[in-house]
Amino acid sequence: MTSYVAAIDQGTTSTRCMIFDHSGNVVAVDQMEHEQIFPKAGWVEHNPEEIWNNTREVCAGALAKADMSPKDVAAVGITNQRETTVVWDRATGKPVYNAIVWQDTRTDRIVSKLGELGGGQERYRDRTGLPLATYFSGPKIKWILDNVDGARERAESGDLLFGNMDTWVLWNATGGTDGGVHVTDPTNASRTLLMDLDTLSWNHEICAEMGIPTSMLPEIRSSSEEYGKIRTKGALGGVPIAGILGDQQAATFGQACLSPGEAKNTYGTGNFVLLNTGTDKVMSDNGLLTTVCYKIGAQPTVYALEGSIAVTGSLVQWLRDNLRMIDSAPEIEQLAKGVEDNGGCYFVPAFSGLFAPHWRSDARGAIVGLTRYVNRGHMARAVLEATAFQTREVIDAMNADSGVPLKSLKVDGGMVSNELLMQFQADILNVSVVRPKVAETTALGAAYAAGLAVGFWSSEEDIRSNWVKDKQWDPELDDASRERQYRQWQKAVTRTFDWVDEDT
């Protein structure tokens, strides 16, 4: 029996390949960043060909670091930044435009016009579980077809394909123009605004309203089954790709949140809280998304409530790259530790508008409460606290929707190494925050999905038994301070509304 499973983790800022053993331990990892392209204010793009080339390199790199051959790997899982949209030519394999990233807001007017057809932001929620927002893939596909010369005609004649990054990687990895598999899974399909949540199939009526030919769309298969083998020229040639999970659903799976009522929060470029609701499709009354959590083979679909926050870790990057206040992301913790509190300063990072629970595409970032007293340390602390405050907003909405207050929160992602942030998160939520031994659970979740499909892991109980607690933070802040700070945060959020005018 082969001893390992690999995962391709195609994220917003980098792509990596991770190799895991049967206990869920990391054996090897290789990672490469890709360029962040900002053509205009509010526009965010990636070069899909750069990402595919990086994917090939990190797969080879991880194998080399582990001193393995493809024969040692039982299966490969894919996890990916969701909603990021690629349209390419099926004959040449060339993208017709850069990938439009999930954070991008250029489709605001498309979204508004669709809402004017009736129902506004709620037009498609009963079928898709999602509000009409720039976040999702469907309006991005429409923008490409409307704005790239000849794209609509080529799409209608069947020459173009669409995929989120999972589909783009899978298609290329399994041969591309030479028999590439054009498939996605329900966790990614449910982020397009085009999939019916009940049937797990494309909704032809919504596709027609957006002017999207269904011939472009990938086949929707389960999250855990063999889709095809990696092309023989690939570093992992001949290994089956047998799992696909969007990054946040993958982290939920990797955190072993496999029962209704279990939740996790991933701290990455943005933050994403997912609550497993089991086979019940719970519709939100409080600004959350109803989404597919996972579908393992022929088993029933498992759903989730999700709170999506656009800007958290990327705010630290902004402080580093745009303002040059720090030289590396880890420095922010030491800078923030130099002060006792935020000095009255609150930072609302509505760079891409506000996602859950507000869904305000007209919002833009604001720093409020400034006085001459505020220094670099206070700013650094306000940046970290913004992540915790936004999470509190989402958890409050989740508690209201589910009717069951959260008792503790499992956390993962790059920012969970920041212990100041983790303690403040526990303080502002007034619940325990728990970090697992393997904090990068996104890749692990994709590996689990692939490994289950090929029998490397026998059941979900194997996943539960692999989960090990690393550290726990318990709340220490008194109630009066907690509610005063949160009240000030909520006031700061209102200052970001209505910033974007028709001519801006």
Side-chain angles (χ1 to χ4, degrees):
M1 179 179 174
T2 49
S3 302
Y4 306 98
V5 170
I8 296 168
D9 182 355
Q10 201 302 290
T12 306
T13 58
S14 69
T15 305
R16 60 185 167 179
C17 180
M18 300 185 77
I19 299 174
F20 298 92
D21 65 16
H22 196 269
S23 298
N25 297 313
V26 179
V27 175
V29 58
D30 199 46
Q31 182 169 352
M32 293 181 70
E33 291 191 359
H34 53 266
E35 182 184 6
Q36 305 297 309
I37 304 166
F38 306 104
K40 297 180 182 180
W43 293 30
V44 190
E45 298 177 1
H46 294 155
N47 179 343
E49 292 182 292
E50 179 192 9
I51 287 174
W52 168 237
N53 288 333
N54 287 358
T55 302
R56 297 169 64 190
E57 291 199 36
V58 297
C59 289
L63 274 182
K65 288 179 179 179
D67 195 23
M68 289 180 192
S69 76
K71 292 183 296 182
D72 299 310
V73 180
V76 175
I78 295 174
T79 183
N80 59 291
Q81 50 169 324
R82 305 166 304 170
E83 301 95 17
T84 295
T85 299
V86 189
V87 174
W88 69 96
D89 189 296
R90 70 166 72 235
T92 66
K94 296 290 185 182
V96 302
Y97 190 79
N98 276 339
I100 301 180
V101 179
W102 57 273
Q103 302 154 309
D104 191 285
T105 60
R106 78 185 67 187
T107 58
D108 190 38
R109 291 180 185 175
I110 290 174
V111 165
S112 296
K113 288 180 180 178
L114 288 168
E116 289 168 4
L117 297 175
Q121 201 174 59
E122 302 301 301
R123 180 167 182 78
Y124 304 129
R125 190 186 285 274
D126 61 337
R127 289 166 284 178
T128 68
L130 309 176
L132 247 176
T134 60
Y135 184 20
F136 306 111
S137 309
K140 294 177 171 66
I141 303 171
K142 177 173 171 55
W143 188 93
I144 291 172
L145 298 186
D146 288 348
N147 289 276
V148 175
D149 285 346
R152 180 163 296 285
E153 291 76 13
R154 292 163 67 191
E156 289 173 352
S157 63
D159 296 333
L160 299 186
L161 300 176
F162 152 76
N164 290 334
M165 297 309 297
D166 62 308
T167 302
W168 170 249
V169 169
L170 175 68
W171 187 81
N172 280 289
T174 53
T177 57
D178 186 19
V181 176
H182 190 223
V183 160
T184 191
D185 89 305
T187 68
N188 278 287
S190 68
R191 315 299 295 197
T192 60
L193 267 175
L194 304 175
M195 190 195 84
D196 187 290
L197 268 186
D198 292 315
T199 64
L200 306 189
S201 60
W202 301 117
N203 186 295
H204 289 259
E205 182 181 337
I206 297 175
C207 290
E209 280 192 5
M210 293 197 197
I212 297 171
T214 55
S215 61
M216 298 178 67
L217 305 179
E219 180 187 358
I220 302 171
R221 306 255 292 269
S222 83
S223 307
S224 179
E225 62 177 88
E226 186 175 329
Y227 313 108
K229 289 183 168 59
I230 294 179
R231 63 199 186 97
T232 55
K233 291 182 179 178
L236 288 162
V239 180
I241 298 178
I244 299 174
L245 286 166
D247 52 8
Q248 304 314 317
Q249 287 93 336
T252 307
F253 208 65
Q255 281 273 39
C257 294
L258 306 175
S259 297
E262 295 183 319
K264 68 87 201 175
N265 191 16
T266 297
Y267 296 72
T269 302
N271 265 37
F272 302 88
V273 186
L274 264 74
L275 173 72
N276 184 324
T277 62
T279 54
D280 292 331
K281 184 185 69 171
V282 178
M283 304 305 285
S284 176
D285 295 321
N286 294 280
L288 303 181
L289 311 179
T290 305
T291 194
V292 175
C293 195
Y294 53 84
K295 179 173 172 56
I296 303 304
Q299 295 178 27
T301 305
V302 174
Y303 295 95
L305 279 172
E306 176 176 333
S308 309
I309 304 166
V311 177
T312 56
S314 58
L315 179 57
V316 178
Q317 291 178 321
W318 180 84
L319 204 69
R320 180 194 67 191
D321 299 339
N322 291 47
L323 296 193
R324 308 293 175 107
M325 279 182 60
I326 52 176
D327 293 323
S328 65
E331 287 180 30
I332 193 170
E333 184 172 11
Q334 287 307 118
L335 187 58
K337 280 181 176 178
V339 294
E340 292 184 0
D341 54 34
N342 63 19
C345 173
Y346 292 81
F347 198 141
V348 186
F351 295 163
S352 301
L354 289 170
F355 284 13
H358 305 284
W359 298 108
R360 295 291 296 256
S361 60
D362 61 342
R364 287 297 179 268
I367 306 172
V368 303
L370 294 180
T371 63
R372 286 288 299 274
Y373 172 69
V374 171
N375 61 32
R376 292 172 69 237
H378 297 119
M379 284 279 289
R381 197 166 185 111
V383 163
L384 293 179
E385 290 181 355
T387 292
F389 283 128
Q390 290 180 98
T391 299
R392 163 80 185 265
E393 289 183 311
V394 165
I395 294 295
D396 283 356
M398 205 161 270
N399 289 340
D401 275 336
S402 68
V404 182
L406 194 71
K407 295 292 194 298
S408 66
L409 182 66
K410 291 181 176 179
V411 298
D412 55 72
M415 293 182 82
V416 300
S417 61
N418 189 313
E419 301 206 355
L420 180 67
L421 170 60
M422 293 297 99
Q423 182 60 56
F424 187 73
Q425 186 69 86
D427 287 340
I428 209 66
L429 287 178
N430 199 28
V431 300
S432 297
V433 169
V434 184
R435 181 175 71 194
K437 183 179 177 183
V438 178
E440 295 296 348
T441 54
T442 302
L444 181 58
Y448 282 149
L452 284 170
V454 299
F456 185 81
W457 286 288
S458 60
S459 70
E460 293 178 7
E461 286 308 309
D462 286 346
I463 297 171
R464 291 186 190 279
S465 63
N466 279 352
W467 192 93
V468 178
K469 181 173 75 173
D470 175 50
K471 187 165 182 177
Q472 178 170 316
W473 291 266
D474 297 316
E476 299 174 352
L477 197 63
D478 65 89
D479 291 345
S481 296
R482 176 184 305 111
E483 295 314 311
R484 173 180 53 79
Q485 291 184 56
Y486 188 51
R487 184 186 74 241
Q488 292 293 108
W489 163 262
Q490 290 176 306
K491 188 188 295 185
V493 169
T494 65
R495 303 302 193 262
T496 71
F497 296 164
D498 298 313
W499 184 259
V500 178
D501 294 328
E502 185 67 28
D503 60 352
T504 58

